[in-house]
Amino acid sequence: MNKRINHQLHTLAETNYKKFKEKLIPTKYEILGIRMPALKKLAKELAKDPDVDFYLKNAEYTTYEHIMLYGLVLGQIKNLSPETFFRYLDPLILRFDNWAHVDCIITFPSLFKKYPDEMLSHFLPLKTHGGEFTKRTFVLFLMAHCMDEAHIDTTLKHLSEVPQGQYYTDMSIAWALSVGLIKFYDKTISYLEQKVFTRFVHNKAIQKARESYRVSPELKEHLNTMKIK
């Protein structure tokens, strides 16, 4: 099965797109140059394959696209238990070395929305993990799956406790806070007023929120006064 998948991946690769992706995504893995719609289509096909369990247990991780494909396949399978899902996903997370792996794989699995509290409990150790992209994984999980009425207080508290100082972690915190400002302005603004975030995270969150059409002009003006000089 791995040989077949390798052949499919190399068939989908585009030389010019490879050059574009290499400039866009800093990673230690080789980039083949496959467009995301093509990867998603292949992932959907593999998720329905009778041998998908064999693939999940024996997959290769030789390129950027191999890792992306594995995560996309995992997110497509509907009948996995949380325990099985974690068994496959946890080792994959430790292989993430770029923002695209995190952003594309962590933000969409339906299983996250089905079991948000179980997922949050499981991912909690990532909050203070030393890895830049493991912390980003935790933050984007919160942003994508726990930015709702039931979890907003817990989510904001966790965001304020994620160690800052690594660029891709800090950018994810700012992104999540900007979503908080859009969806739960009063609750999120109180955290910014406490100045619990670094100047970079604080100002970047305000910038991103002010760029949104979902924030009123009046609130944008208020946010502008809160920037840390």
Side-chain angles (χ1 to χ4, degrees), residues 75 85-86 89 101-121 123 136-152 154-156 158-159 175-176 179 183-184:
F85 183 77
F86 292 142
L89 181 64
H101 279 156
V102 179
D103 297 16
C104 295
I105 292 173
I106 295 301
T107 55
F108 83 94
S110 58
L111 202 64
F112 286 163
K113 295 189 182 301
K114 190 175 181 181
Y115 303 103
D117 295 318
E118 292 88 339
M119 298 290 168
L120 177 56
S121 177
F123 287 139
R136 185 180 177 96
T137 295
F138 178 72
V139 171
L140 288 199
F141 166 77
L142 290 175
M143 184 191 78
H145 307 289
C146 298
M147 196 70 76
D148 54 29
E149 194 70 49
H151 299 93
I152 183 59
T154 300
T155 291
L156 289 170
H158 284 315
L159 290 176
W175 185 11
V179 174
K183 299 178 70 174
F184 300 96

Side-chain angles (χ1 to χ4, degrees), residues 209-213 215-224:
R210 293 184 77 243
E211 290 171 351
S212 172
Y213 69 90
V215 176
S216 71
E218 294 76 19
L219 292 181
K220 288 181 180 181
E221 284 302 314
H222 180 229
L223 285 171
N224 199 39

Side-chain angles (χ1 to χ4, degrees), residues 17 62 88 103 111 113 129 143 169 203 214 216 220:
Y17 193 65
T62 51
Y88 291 135
D103 297 16
L111 202 64
K113 295 189 182 301
H129 192 277
M143 184 191 78
T169 301
N203 288 348
R214 296 169 62 190
S216 71
K220 288 181 180 181

